[in-house]
Amino acid sequence: MQANGRRPTKRNRRVVLIFTLVLSLALCGSARGNSRVRMNPGAINFHIDTKPSEPYVYSQDVLTLEWKNGADREDISYEITNLLDKETMIPASLIEAARIGVSDYQSLDLPMVFLRANEDKAQISFRIASEAWRSAGNFDGLLRTTRLNNGDINVKAHVQKYTCLDVDAGEDGIVVDANQGPGIYAADEKIGFTVFSNGKPWILSVSSECLNLSSSVPGLSQIPPENIWVRLDDEDYEINMAEGLILSGPAGKLVAHELSVRVRTELEHVSGTYKGKLKLTLSE
């Protein structure tokens, strides 16, 4: 009990005072470092609302750095972290910066000088590679100075969800010349399609309507889905359209396929050219 209640000696008080003094000096030094440069704005934002048509998307935010009067000057460099939205990442290598009127764009995955000691002011513009649109989300990262006391800058990328299905089936869709009586006939052309989603993995269902004899009254002679088969790319099996075909794919990857179509005509089918369409339905 006596040991726990012992008052600090002069030596102990001196150690506490020295530690407090060192800590205070460190904090004051950090505050001076943060006050050396004026920066505007406080964050850099990217907005990607749809699939970019150009190699880069440019931020509307231009960063201005300016030395304060009497500040101790030294070159100030920044590099960027990866931008994250939970487990999804935009790599730092996709983000670039340029000193306006001074230097061209360069990647920020390595340090870049933003403000030099021998200049009063600098303006920095930013761009992000269009590849970033492959992942939807709200991404956050930091521009970090190589001098810890110069202050970090928030970087945000807002990428909207984008889902696209492009189908190349010509004007008439499926066209089959079944003019030799009952038998198996292949469609004149393959049907190509591409799928992309930057949000979630996708599911594509493929079904078929009846094929109609093009030279007769609609419905007079039809080839029903149970007499229609499709082959995906160069697979060694076919899928009957009475059952339909289900495909799936990952987010962030463009997927391309082709479908070959074959039909079987029966005795009741009139010889001639039959036309119809496949129905492709995309969901997440």
Side-chain angles (χ1 to χ4, degrees):
M1 296 296 293
Q2 185 176 359
N4 290 337
R6 187 168 57 193
R7 299 179 63 183
T9 65
K10 290 183 178 180
R11 176 183 174 85
N12 290 336
R13 285 198 298 271
R14 186 159 52 246
V15 171
V16 172
L17 288 173
I18 291 174
F19 175 77
T20 304
L21 179 60
V22 171
L23 179 59
S24 299
L25 289 174
L27 291 173
C28 290
S30 177
R32 281 199 303 271
N34 287 331
S35 64
R36 292 189 301 166
V37 178
R38 281 188 290 267
M39 292 187 295
N40 184 57
I44 305 301
N45 294 277
F46 294 97
H47 297 276
I48 305 179
D49 297 325
T50 187
K51 180 181 179 180
S53 58
E54 300 293 335
Y56 293 94
V57 175
Y58 291 80
S59 173
Q60 298 300 308
D61 298 317
V62 174
L63 178 66
T64 300
L65 300 94
E66 186 174 6
W67 291 110
K68 291 186 177 181
N69 293 333
D72 294 331
R73 298 190 179 192
E74 60 181 327
D75 289 357
I76 296 180
S77 299
Y78 281 87
E79 60 185 326
I80 199 166
T81 65
N82 296 324
L83 306 189
L84 299 176
D85 181 355
K86 298 178 181 177
E87 296 180 356
T88 308
M89 178 184 72
I90 296 177
S93 58
L94 298 186
I95 303 166
E96 300 181 352
R99 284 161 44 86
I100 297 177
V102 178
S103 65
D104 201 358
Y105 282 93
Q106 67 180 66
S107 176
L108 286 171
D109 58 347
L110 294 174
M112 171 184 169
V113 175
F114 277 20
L115 181 62
R116 296 194 179 278
N118 62 356
E119 59 190 8
D120 296 326
K121 181 180 179 180
Q123 288 188 308
I124 314 297
S125 60
F126 299 87
R127 69 184 186 184
I128 188 169
S130 59
E131 183 182 341
W133 75 282
R134 292 181 177 275
S135 299
N138 295 308
F139 297 85
D140 294 284
L142 289 173
L143 276 168
R144 284 182 171 161
T145 175
T146 53
R147 296 287 185 179
L148 296 179
N149 58 356
N150 286 331
D152 295 337
I153 301 169
N154 291 321
V155 179
K156 299 179 181 293
H158 310 279
V159 184
Q160 295 291 335
K161 290 182 64 176
Y162 177 89
T163 301
C164 181
L165 169 63
D166 287 326
V167 180
D168 180 11
E171 294 183 2
D172 297 319
I174 304 171
V175 179
V176 179
D177 291 321
N179 49 20
Q180 300 294 320
I184 303 296
Y185 297 90
D188 292 350
E189 301 289 342
K190 293 181 179 181
I191 295 175
F193 62 92
T194 58
V195 187
F196 180 84
S197 173
N198 69 353
K200 297 179 180 179
W202 51 266
I203 297 175
L204 180 71
S205 61
V206 181
S207 59
S208 176
E209 62 183 27
C210 292
L211 305 188
N212 290 287
L213 187 63
S214 60
S215 60
S216 66
V217 177
L220 181 62
S221 184
Q222 293 182 325
I223 300 176
E226 53 263 32
N227 282 39
I228 302 172
W229 289 264
V230 299
R231 184 192 304 272
L232 181 68
D233 300 326
D234 295 323
E235 297 286 353
D236 57 1
Y237 60 90
E238 294 178 322
I239 302 295
N240 187 262
M241 285 292 93
E243 303 171 359
L245 172 63
I246 302 295
L247 300 173
S248 62
K253 182 180 180 181
L254 183 67
V255 177
H257 289 296
E258 282 187 328
L259 292 172
S260 304
V261 180
R262 292 203 312 163
V263 304
R264 184 180 67 214
T265 59
E266 311 285 357
L267 288 172
E268 67 267 22
H269 292 117
V270 177
S271 294
T273 299
Y274 287 79
K275 296 181 180 181
K277 297 183 183 298
L278 291 180
K279 181 180 179 181
L280 284 73
T281 305
L282 181 64
S283 60
E284 291 184 348

